[in-house]
Structure formats: C-alpha cells, structure tokens
Amino acid sequence: MAENRTIARQGLTLRRLRQDRFIRGLTRQARVSPEQLIQPHFVVDGIRQREAVPGLTGVFRETADSLAKQVEQDIEAGADKIILFGVPAEKREANFNHDFTRRQIENLRRRFGANLWIAVDVCLCSHTAHGHCGVLSREQDHVVNDASVAELARAALSYAQAGANCVAPSDMMDGRVAAIRQTLDANGAERTLLLSYSAKFNSRFYGPFREAADSAPRSDVLKDRATYQIDPARPDDAYASSVRDAEEGADILMVKPGLPYLDILKELSSRIEKPWAVYEVSGEYAGVELLAAQNLIPAPQAHVECWTSFVRAGASMIITYGARHARRWLSHV
Ligand code: PBG
C-alpha cells in the first residue's frame, strides 16, 4: 500500500463529510445546548419604567416589577438560569448597603421557587460614587484591597441568605474568594456555589454594561481598572489568578471577555480541571447586533457561531445577553 500514499487522490476527500446537514450534524465535535447558557439581568433602584440598554437589543434596566415579568417570560423560553446585577440608587464610599439587591433576590425566589437558578454578581462598582470595584484610599489614588474584600464578603453572604444559588465576585481583589467562602461556610451557606471571575481582563469591551450598571470609573486620579483587572498582554497572570482562586475554594472559574481571549480559555480550561465559564461581554454582544442592524451579518447565526467557539475552547457554560433566544437561534443551525 506504500505506493498508494504517494498518489495524489482525485475528487472528494474532506468534502464528503460536509455535503449535507445530516452528515454535518453527525460529525460535529462541539455542540451548544440552551442548558449551557446564563442570562444576565440588570435591576435598578429608583427608576419608574424599564429602560432599554443601548447596544444590547432586548436588554433592559429593569424595575423590580418588570424584572419579574421578564424572568417569567424567559423561563418559558427556556432561560431559567440568570446572573443578577443590582444597581442601588444611593452611592457610598464605604459601609455599603446591599438591601436593594437582597430584596430582588428574595422576590425572585419567592415568586419562582426552585424553577429559577440565580447567580448574583458581587462587586462594588455600582455602589460607589467613583465607579471603582472597591474602596478607595483617603488620597483616592488606589483601591484598598482588604477593606474591599470585607465589604464583598458581607454582600455575598447577604445574597446567599436571600436565596442566591451562586455568588460571582467580579471585583478582582486579592483574597476575595477565600474570604467569601469562609464567610459563607461560617454562616450556614455552605451549599452556595462560588463562581469566580478569575481571568477577568482590563478590557474596553465593557462599555454598554457600564451604562446599564451605572458603573464606569469616574475618579479623576484613578481613571481605569488597570490596577486590579488583568492586563490583556499577560496570560500568565490569568493562569496564576485562576489557580489561586481554585485553591481558595472557587467551584467554577471564568474567562472574560470571550472572543478576544479564546486562547486564554482554551489554555486555562485544559490546564485547570474545573468547570469553566466564559462571559460574552456587552461590547462583544453589541458588536454582533450592530453589524446585524446594518444588514451586514445575520444575528442569530453569528451569535451561535460565537457560542460554538466558546464550547470548542473549553467552556461548559456561557453568560450571554442572548440566552433567552437560544432555543430559537440554535434551531437555525
Ligand atoms: C463589574 C462587572 C463588569 C462586567 C461584569 N461585572 C464591568 C467592569 O468590570 O467594568 C462586564 C460585563 C459586560 O460587559 O457585559 N465589575
């Protein structure tokens, strides 16, 4: 048979397995299921009517009432796993009050019982007047690590006690995973899951989110989040951060954003044996929507293509603003 190998084959070789939807379906290696998707929700204190979020088609800054209606519709559409972002009206510098978000969790739990899985983002950027993810020093020139961690642990416990299934710290302080895990365990919340935004980069793709969550950094001295989020050019830092968070007790690790960091997702998910999440962030999602609005690409198929890349790269779950459309969109493929 040795000579055969030297003969260039004519006609179909690889294309035989591409010829129709049947064989393409049978040979797929990566599949996205609606079960893998988590729907983000913003709930905002002090607004009377819900407000559309620019760039994120069909996503709103919800009132307590409109949130419940939207979640109900979403559950019917199959999107029964959410991540909640609470936006309080009152901004403070310290001693944050987490009651607004806590009440929203209690309401959802009362209304939907075990039919809804609730993760809650744990951060301070929607609570602070300066928009940073932690407490600032008196000179306002840096984020104080341990004081921020103490506030975050208090928030996480309050959300867990209100009925959250999962708490998800997104602040990027050092030691917050250990502090939150210890606080939960010491107060009867040992079953609450901890999803760490462990590989969260200092990205420009968070724009639409910061409008929705009222959380853009506004300090004159400290203008961005470069002193706590990971530098886009430092993959080793993302690895160290994820190993550390796994050791500190995170159940699930996450890469964020998604598309510009697929290499990170692929590498970390193969090196660190934990369930991996990826956050398809607001700017990525809005990018697809804006192209589609110009009739330059078809939105559903393009979204599914992005989700497929995440699964291919090792994600077992995806946070995406399109989760509620997944059943429909996935039936287009
Ligand atoms: C809060 C937080 C951010 C996102 C999730 N949690 C933004 C930020 O770090 O400024 C971004 C999500 C998105 O863009 O969709 N720290």
Side-chain angles (χ1 to χ4, degrees):
M1 285 294 159
E3 310 104 78
N4 273 357
R5 240 179 280 136
T6 62
I7 299 169
R9 290 184 59 181
Q10 304 287 305
L12 293 179
T13 55
L14 299 179
R15 286 190 51 210
R16 195 174 299 111
L17 288 173
R18 301 174 191 157
Q19 63 184 297
D20 57 41
R21 66 188 168 86
F22 301 106
I23 194 61
R24 288 195 299 271
L26 287 167
T27 52
R28 256 175 213 136
Q29 295 173 275
R31 286 172 212 278
V32 186
S33 149
E35 205 177 36
Q36 294 173 284
L37 307 183
I38 300 172
Q39 176 71 50
H41 289 278
F42 301 102
V43 59
V44 183
D45 192 9
I47 58 171
R48 282 153 160 249
Q49 281 194 327
R50 70 179 193 166
E51 302 166 358
V53 179
L56 300 179
T57 324
V59 176
F60 294 85
R61 288 157 49 86
E62 308 281 3
T63 67
D65 286 346
S66 70
L67 174 68
K69 284 189 201 123
Q70 183 66 58
V71 168
E72 184 162 12
Q73 268 181 33
D74 290 353
I75 292 176
E76 268 164 42
D80 56 4
K81 294 181 281 288
I82 70 169
I83 181 162
L84 187 67
F85 295 89
V87 186
E90 191 198 343
K91 310 294 173 188
R92 293 191 186 178
E93 303 285 312
N95 301 315
F96 302 98
N97 182 343
H98 304 291
D99 290 352
F100 173 71
T101 306
R102 185 178 51 75
R103 277 200 308 276
Q104 309 311 311
I105 302 163
E106 286 167 354
N107 289 345
L108 292 174
R109 185 58 72 214
R110 202 174 308 122
R111 181 146 176 178
F112 300 106
N115 296 322
L116 181 68
W117 187 86
I118 307 173
V120 183
D121 184 87
V122 178
C123 196
L124 300 174
C125 57
S126 296
H127 294 253
T128 53
H130 44 70
H132 280 291
C133 300
V135 176
L136 286 195
S137 61
R138 190 165 318 136
E139 304 73 28
Q140 305 258 305
D141 64 346
H142 68 279
V143 175
V144 183
N145 195 79
D146 293 4
S148 305
V149 168
E151 294 277 4
L152 293 159
R154 222 163 43 74
L157 179 61
S158 157
Y159 303 158
Q161 289 176 336
N165 300 89
C166 177
V167 290
S170 65
D171 53 284
M172 294 304 280
M173 298 302 121
D174 284 333
R176 93 274 208 210
V177 170
I180 291 173
R181 189 69 268 165
Q182 276 161 21
T183 305
L184 294 176
D185 291 353
N187 290 281
E190 55 283 319
R191 293 178 67 217
T192 307
L193 290 156
L194 201 162
L195 186 170
S196 174
Y197 288 67
S198 61
K200 176 170 176 178
F201 287 86
N202 179 29
S203 169
R204 300 305 137 204
F205 284 86
Y206 304 147
F209 172 94
R210 290 179 182 175
E211 293 293 313
D214 196 10
S215 69
R218 286 175 284 269
S219 151
D220 290 339
V221 191
L222 209 55
K223 290 190 165 49
D224 60 31
R225 306 208 199 288
T227 65
Y228 42 103
Q229 297 182 346
I230 299 171
D231 188 295
R234 285 200 61 201
D236 287 353
D237 195 3
Y239 177 71
S241 174
S242 300
V243 168
R244 190 262 325 261
D245 287 3
E247 281 169 357
E248 287 188 11
D251 302 294
I252 304 163
L253 301 174
M254 182 153 71
V255 173
K256 172 187 173 195
L259 284 190
Y261 299 91
L262 274 186
D263 57 328
I264 306 282
L265 177 60
K266 171 101 183 167
E267 185 172 336
L268 297 197
S269 64
S270 65
R271 288 175 73 186
I272 305 174
E273 287 188 13
K274 282 279 173 189
W276 278 89
V278 63
Y279 200 138
E280 183 188 44
V281 303
S282 55
E284 303 174 60
Y285 191 84
V288 170
E289 289 295 303
L290 289 168
L291 282 165
Q294 302 278 318
N295 282 323
L296 293 171
I297 63 172
Q301 293 89 338
H303 284 299
V304 170
E305 186 176 334
C306 296
W307 297 345
T308 303
S309 78
F310 300 141
V311 174
R312 219 173 51 221
S316 63
M317 64 194 93
I318 304 167
I319 301 180
T320 170
Y321 296 95
R324 60 170 63 108
H325 308 295
R327 264 195 203 155
R328 214 162 10 95
W329 290 354
L330 288 164
S331 66
H332 286 247
V333 211

